[in-house]
Amino acid sequence: GRTTGITGLDPETTYYFRSFVRQNGQDTYGETKSFTTPSLRETLDADNVSETKARMNAKLDLTNVQYKSLEYGFYWGTSESSQNTYVKCINLSEAVFSYQLSGLTRNELYYFKTRAKPDSRVFWGEVRSFTTSDIDATVETLDATDVSETKATLNGKLTVNSTETWQVSVWYLYSNKETTLDELKTSGIKVSSSLENGGSF
């Protein structure tokens, strides 16, 4: 059998071919076959995900691709159908590139995909997703202090497991009679404190 090499093909494209022989002005054709050139980009899982941050990752293999200009980056958003925020990347190291997002909403599902544009051709990666974490917090009611005839200091302890800055409003509920939690929610008196990266209130 004979082999023939061809170049200049597009990535991620299916090509069809068949051989033929011409004898005495007549063509005889062989069976039609096909092959698909491999993808040049792949969206990878996000990492470094916290309450308000995440790093999107992708891989781009341009080993056999000829191009004069290249643009690549990510589209992302809060739904699979509306990933319409684009961020452009500039550093390609060992075919892997990343973009660090910040200012995200806690406990929110995000979607992202990569886009590579060598010259005027555009290639998309598959859609991936990540969910930002919520603040892991526990609250403990402590004994009241400085109790006098008309005043008292209410105390509590808030424990937050977070690598990021946070601010929270803490509410106390109190009543002049022993009551259930549901009754306290509807008839209790509310006072609040605001905490910023603190522990006790």
Side-chain angles (χ1 to χ4, degrees):
R2 294 285 232 28
T3 60
T4 301
I6 53 175
T7 59
L9 303 179
D10 286 331
E12 306 167 45
T13 304
T14 300
Y15 290 90
Y16 300 87
F17 68 99
R18 63 180 178 172
S19 58
F20 73 96
V21 61
R22 180 169 289 165
Q23 282 182 309
N24 301 325
Q26 276 205 304
D27 296 337
T28 303
Y29 290 90
E31 180 186 357
T32 298
K33 302 257 183 180
S34 68
F35 64 90
T36 301
T37 52
S39 168
L40 59 82
R41 81 287 168 271
E42 179 185 2
T43 310
L44 305 176
D45 287 334
D47 61 5
N48 292 351
V49 180
S50 65
E51 290 108 355
T52 61
K53 297 177 185 173
R55 184 172 62 189
M56 302 179 294
N57 301 299
K59 187 165 57 174
L60 184 60
D61 184 2
L62 299 171
T63 307
N64 297 311
V65 179
Q66 295 178 348
Y67 59 91
K68 293 178 183 174
S69 66
L70 173 66
E71 183 184 319
Y72 55 94
F74 295 96
Y75 274 84
W76 66 279
T78 54
S79 77
E80 199 163 356
S81 60
S82 65
Q83 299 162 61
N84 47 21
T85 302
Y86 178 66
V87 289
K88 184 178 177 180
C89 298
I90 53 173
N91 293 323
L92 185 63
S93 172
E94 298 179 4
V96 174
F97 61 96
S98 303
Y99 190 91
Q100 179 75 40
L101 294 172
S102 60
L104 303 177
T105 303
R106 291 196 309 264
N107 199 26
E108 181 87 37
L109 177 61
Y110 290 91
Y111 296 88
F112 69 102
K113 61 189 172 187
T114 184
R115 186 190 79 160
K117 187 179 176 188
D119 297 333
S120 60
R121 295 171 294 175
V122 176
F123 300 99
W124 296 95
E126 55 281 307
V127 175
R128 300 279 178 138
S129 65
F130 64 87
T131 301
T132 52
S133 57
D134 205 353
I135 287 184
D136 178 16
T138 58
V139 64
E140 180 183 356
T141 305
L142 303 178
D143 290 335
T145 56
D146 301 324
V147 179
S148 68
E149 293 85 357
T150 59
K151 294 189 297 186
T153 301
L154 304 179
N155 299 294
K157 182 179 178 185
L158 178 69
T159 304
V160 177
N161 296 316
S162 174
T163 57
E164 301 181 19
T165 59
W166 52 268
Q167 183 174 358
V168 66
S169 292
V170 181
W171 293 87
Y172 297 92
L173 292 168
Y174 70 95
S175 173
N176 63 355
K177 62 180 179 180
E178 189 172 352
T179 183
T180 66
L181 179 59
D182 287 338
E183 290 170 338
L184 190 60
K185 285 179 183 177
T186 57
S187 64
I189 300 171
K190 293 181 183 179
V191 292
S192 71
S193 298
S194 183
L195 286 180
E196 206 166 314
N197 291 339
S200 296
F201 55 90

